[in-house]
Amino acid sequence: MLFSSYGNPQRKIQREFSNHPLMLWCNAAVAPIFIANNKDWRIFGGYYAGKKERVQKDYSMLQEEYRVVNREELLEKLNELSQTGVRFHYNHLMEEYRERGFFDLSREQLCMDDLFPQLELYQRRWLYDMIQGYKAYDKRALLGYDISRAIYAAEAGFMVGHIEQEETFNLCLEFAKTLQAAFSCWEELTNSYLLGYAFQTQEDKQNLSSSLAHRIHLVEQLYQDKIKGPFTLDWNTRPVI
């Protein structure tokens, strides 16, 4: 694990990366995750090296949320997220629901008690949202969620010392290319991210105390910042393409 002092070259790398159009774009793409974890999206890694407790927190996060404790496991996880991720199960589930005719039902019909008596009303609303997301984006519906998590994990991996600067840069470059090829604007990306977050948490977005409601509100706030917000960056930033 890497614990850096103030003068460690890692901090210099961070400053250089934070001013690079590619890395700034990548950080904007994962800004909702950064801010939800009290990180600064304008800094590569979310905070400057030298904060031992932050590094330890990232190390624990990678271990608990990604099942990663070293370079090999991190690269394997990043490959999994880019190739299949959560969207593999989601896509399979949506195709099953399509075959069963659920895609032809209105929101009111899906929310009827007799169709899914075992589900709470908010779970039926959740199902409707999942189907609408798949109708809108097809198999790329959760791609933004998976790749955003991959970028976040890659930067955290750099902060704890699992991977080096060049490897992190190249990984983020490929992730950025994937996102720009799949989506046409920030709104499509954040829609995909929130859909994936909703799929994973299966929470009631109308419950204002739920983490899903908080994440939706956070994204809305980011869009409201028209001066320094992450989504004021040009989606088609040339170094990313």
Side-chain angles (χ1 to χ4, degrees), residues 22-23 26 74-75 78-79 82 147 150-151 153-155 163-178:
L22 163 64
M23 299 312 305
C26 286
L74 175 60
L75 294 180
L78 295 179
N79 182 66
S82 65
I147 300 302
I151 294 173
E155 293 197 29
I163 52 178
E164 299 296 330
Q165 62 188 76
E166 184 175 353
E167 193 166 24
T168 308
F169 183 91
N170 290 333
L171 285 166
C172 288
L173 172 61
E174 293 306 312
F175 293 146
K177 287 180 178 178
T178 297

Side-chain angles (χ1 to χ4, degrees), residues 5 48 81 128-129 144 197 201:
S5 64
Y48 284 119
L81 288 170
Y128 177 78
D129 289 343
Y197 192 88
T201 61

Side-chain angles (χ1 to χ4, degrees), residues 107 120-123 125-126 129 198 201-214 216:
R107 187 174 188 270
E120 298 289 340
L121 178 58
Y122 82 86
Q123 293 175 312
R125 292 170 178 159
W126 171 90
D129 289 343
T201 61
Q202 298 189 28
E203 294 178 336
D204 182 3
K205 66 181 181 182
Q206 295 186 14
N207 178 1
L208 299 183
S209 64
S210 68
S211 66
L212 175 58
H214 288 167
I216 292 172

Side-chain angles (χ1 to χ4, degrees), residues 25 29 32 133 136-138 140-146 148 178-196 219 223 231 235-236:
W25 191 97
Y137 299 109
D138 199 58
R140 61 193 174 98
L142 264 59
L143 179 67
Y145 176 75
D146 284 330
S148 293
T178 297
L179 291 176
Q180 284 202 330
F183 304 107
S184 63
C185 60
W186 291 116
E187 184 177 6
E188 288 188 357
L189 172 58
T190 53
N191 284 346
S192 175
Y193 171 73
L194 289 174
L195 187 69
V219 170
Y223 275 109
F231 306 132
W235 171 263
N236 296 304

Side-chain angles (χ1 to χ4, degrees), residues 87-88 90-92 94-95 98 103 129-144 182-183 188 192 195:
R87 65 190 182 279
F88 178 81
Y90 167 81
N91 292 344
H92 179 77
M94 291 302 107
E95 286 299 330
R98 189 203 299 273
F103 276 40
D129 289 343
M130 294 302 106
I131 290 175
Q132 293 307 303
Y134 198 71
K135 282 183 176 180
Y137 299 109
D138 199 58
K139 294 187 183 300
R140 61 193 174 98
L142 264 59
L143 179 67
F183 304 107
E188 288 188 357
S192 175
L195 187 69

Side-chain angles (χ1 to χ4, degrees), residues 18-65:
S18 296
N19 292 322
H20 193 288
L22 163 64
M23 299 312 305
L24 192 60
W25 191 97
C26 286
N27 278 17
V30 297
I33 311 179
F34 267 43
I35 296 174
N37 288 278
N38 298 313
K39 292 185 178 183
D40 189 339
W41 71 270
R42 292 162 295 187
I43 301 174
F44 177 73
Y47 57 92
Y48 284 119
K51 299 180 179 180
K52 185 180 294 188
E53 70 284 355
R54 298 302 301 270
V55 176
Q56 182 60 57
K57 187 174 181 179
D58 268 349
Y59 186 90
S60 298
M61 179 274 296
L62 288 171
Q63 184 177 21
E64 295 168 7
E65 296 184 21

